[in-house]
Amino acid sequence: MKPVRVGLLGLGTVGGGTFNVLCRNAEEIARRAGRGIDITHAAAREYDAARLPGIENIRVSDDAFAVVDDADIDIVVELIGGYEPARELVLRAIANGKHVVTANKALIAVHGNEIFAAAQARGVMVAFEAAVAGGIPIIKAVREGLSANRINWIAGIINGTGNFILTEMRDKGRDFADVLAEAQQLGYAEADPTFDVEGIDAAHKLTILGSLAFGIPLQFDKVYTEGISHITREDVNYAEQLGYRIKHLGITRRTTAGVELRVHPTLIPDRRLIANVDGVMNAVLVNADAVGPTLYYGAGAGSEPTASAVVADIIDVARTLTADPENRVPHLAFQPDALSDLPILDMDDVETGYYLRLCASDKPGVMADIARILGDGGISIEAIIQKEPQEGEQTVPVILLTRGVRERQMNAAIRGIESLDSIEGRVTRIRLEHLSSR
Ligand code: HSE
């Protein structure tokens, strides 16, 4: 059979990795795909030829539109990232009848509904395994491996940079900015690293997971998104004393009132496997009705781990090129005419446990006031730490863990606590999840 011809957009961290993996493993890949896979045309503004042996044998220019318009290309692989011109290039590739493979989570989360509709109408595939959790085949697992199940919830560490920063802060006491700089140097961080530290990248990925799990359209604008930039070493240490780890989680859960889509730092019991996922590694815990909990672990970022997912998609597309479009695996796991309009819950209506840290005057009655406000709000305290005042200090840190309560109730209680004369500054709040399999 004739080889499949691939056009590559981008020769950076992931594009370079994809080129190298496809070249290095060409023979084995052809045995898997049933035909050869040849990159024949690439576009990149700049690239390091010394790290891409064999690149001199293909046509490379800086014109991405020339690749998507190249009549000889069967599959366009978009690895430039960002919203534009990626959207325009992908839509043009689809209009030209080409299949698309992309690692672009921002593009899929924000423009995926439009892109999938265009692909459906043109009878081409858009594959995006590398968009979520790098090298972990989580999309295939949720979309195909778990297709017998009703999924209850998914919780994942889906931003490698953020997990790397939290791990280094905890284990080595390193400074936030210093670890972020290292993540950038290693090629883990986004072009704009605020996407990593403010949770936007994780929100892109969670949007995709929520749609695959529950058969809902992609709704990035409804994700509650909070980053890790306000997490301090103190909080990491207090959490540990209480038997918890702080992880930046993306959580999507089906409730009777709607679907939760939320990204925020979260205390999780340190005995959970996912609590021990460190460094740039990602992990996704899926709770489904038939199989129960399953956990997927691996490198969430980096050149060849991400390329592993990109190349698997190229092989998948190559294998099913001739299949009837109606019988391919649907982009969002559910048939496009069977998506559901389940509402996305407002964060106020989400129920979780909480870690609260506050700074209280060292005088009688303060704890009673705090307990009264929480009690009046129907909030039950699960654990408490009060430190002795340091010499010369008039205030003491108080750390509380609460049972599950609606965010709206907690907001009211925090307002009440902050208005007490005996409380200094703002209350730090970090959400808490037990992630038990029940
Ligand atoms: N910046 C992303 C991360 C890259 O750190 O997870 C992989 O999507």
Side-chain angles (χ1 to χ4, degrees):
M1 207 184 283
K2 259 186 16 192
V4 175
R5 287 147 313 178
V6 172
L8 198 52
L9 307 181
L11 284 169
T13 304
V14 182
T18 298
F19 180 83
N20 286 334
V21 170
L22 264 176
C23 293
R24 190 174 71 231
N25 296 341
E27 199 188 314
E28 191 117 342
I29 286 169
R31 284 173 56 215
R32 291 181 192 272
R35 58 203 293 189
I37 295 175
D38 293 349
I39 298 177
T40 56
H41 194 170
R45 270 206 221 117
E46 52 190 35
Y47 60 97
D48 183 357
R51 297 173 71 170
L52 302 169
I55 194 77
E56 63 283 359
N57 300 326
I58 68 165
R59 184 173 155 207
V60 186
S61 77
D62 61 0
D63 186 356
F65 285 93
V67 175
V68 302
D69 289 337
D70 183 338
D72 288 336
I73 297 291
D74 304 303
I75 304 173
V76 169
V77 180
E78 183 276 305
L79 301 173
I80 52 180
Y83 302 118
E84 294 290 355
R87 174 180 160 276
E88 197 186 342
L89 286 162
V90 163
L91 287 173
R92 189 140 135 194
I94 292 169
N96 287 339
K98 301 186 190 310
H99 304 281
V100 173
V101 171
T102 179
N104 191 334
K105 52 262 163 138
L107 179 72
I108 297 298
V110 175
H111 299 296
N113 297 322
E114 178 191 13
I115 288 169
F116 297 147
Q120 173 87 3
R122 197 67 176 79
V124 296
M125 290 172 266
V126 176
F128 52 98
E129 180 63 67
V132 181
I136 307 174
I138 187 62
I139 291 179
K140 203 160 190 76
V142 173
R143 196 161 58 179
E144 299 176 52
L146 299 179
S147 58
N149 289 260
R150 190 176 154 86
I151 292 177
N152 300 315
W153 52 262
I154 297 181
I157 296 171
I158 47 180
N159 180 267
T161 302
N163 201 42
F164 182 61
I165 293 171
L166 286 176
T167 304
E168 293 286 304
M169 279 172 69
R170 189 194 76 224
D171 292 354
K172 302 184 188 152
R174 286 180 65 191
D175 181 58
F176 191 103
D178 169 42
V179 190
L180 174 59
E182 189 182 341
Q184 287 177 287
Q185 202 188 359
L186 292 168
Y188 300 153
E190 295 303 297
D192 175 355
T194 58
F195 274 45
D196 295 297
V197 298
E198 298 307 340
I200 302 158
D201 176 74
H204 286 144
K205 295 164 179 166
L206 184 75
T207 302
I208 298 170
L209 288 176
S211 290
L212 296 175
F214 305 122
I216 52 175
L218 297 152
Q219 295 164 79
F220 170 70
D221 54 338
K222 298 201 179 136
V223 183
Y224 173 81
T225 306
E226 195 181 296
I228 56 166
S229 54
H230 64 288
I231 299 295
T232 64
R233 270 198 58 74
E234 281 175 284
D235 293 318
V236 171
N237 291 341
Y238 289 135
E240 290 227 18
Q241 286 174 36
L242 290 158
Y244 292 82
R245 293 269 166 88
I246 299 178
K247 291 291 175 190
H248 193 216
L249 290 190
I251 300 172
T252 183
R253 187 191 314 261
R254 189 201 317 245
T255 75
T256 48
V259 172
E260 296 176 8
L261 281 175
R262 50 192 171 104
V263 167
H264 50 69
T266 314
L267 267 75
I268 45 183
D270 59 11
R271 62 184 180 282
R272 298 266 177 266
L273 280 175
I274 194 169
N276 294 284
V277 170
D278 289 333
V280 73
M281 303 309 269
N282 279 195
V284 183
L285 179 57
V286 182
N287 185 289
D289 70 339
V291 70
T294 52
L295 179 65
Y296 308 84
Y297 168 85
S303 177
E304 292 210 359
T306 312
S308 163
V310 172
V311 174
D313 270 350
I314 299 172
I315 296 170
D316 234 10
V317 172
R319 281 176 177 148
T320 46
L321 268 177
T322 50
D324 169 6
E326 299 304 316
N327 293 320
R328 292 182 186 136
V329 178
H331 291 113
L332 289 179
F334 292 72
Q335 296 299 334
D337 59 358
L339 293 186
S340 126
D341 59 359
L342 277 174
I344 307 301
L345 284 190
D346 191 89
M347 195 60 193
D348 272 357
D349 295 317
V350 167
E351 189 175 315
T352 73
Y354 291 86
Y355 160 103
L356 304 177
R357 176 170 55 82
L358 36 112
C359 201
S361 303
D362 183 26
K363 57 185 185 200
V366 180
M367 290 303 284
D369 286 341
I370 297 168
R372 178 183 48 74
I373 291 172
L374 292 172
D376 288 352
I379 301 169
S380 178
I381 299 171
E382 205 162 62
I384 193 160
I385 304 180
Q386 185 190 340
K387 293 285 176 192
E388 278 178 322
Q390 301 289 314
E391 211 166 297
E393 292 280 339
Q394 300 303 311
T395 58
V396 289
V398 177
I399 293 89
L400 298 152
L401 299 187
T402 78
R403 287 189 202 272
V405 61
R406 286 254 162 90
E407 182 98 353
R408 183 178 290 109
Q409 281 164 272
M410 182 50 79
N411 288 339
I414 288 177
R415 277 195 300 274
I417 293 170
E418 285 177 344
S419 69
L420 292 172
D421 289 340
S422 49
I423 299 298
E424 231 180 57
R426 306 294 304 270
V427 172
T428 295
R429 156 237 312 259
I430 307 176
R431 296 168 188 85
L432 183 154
E433 293 285 341
H434 291 283
L435 301 183
S436 60
S437 45
R438 287 190 308 278

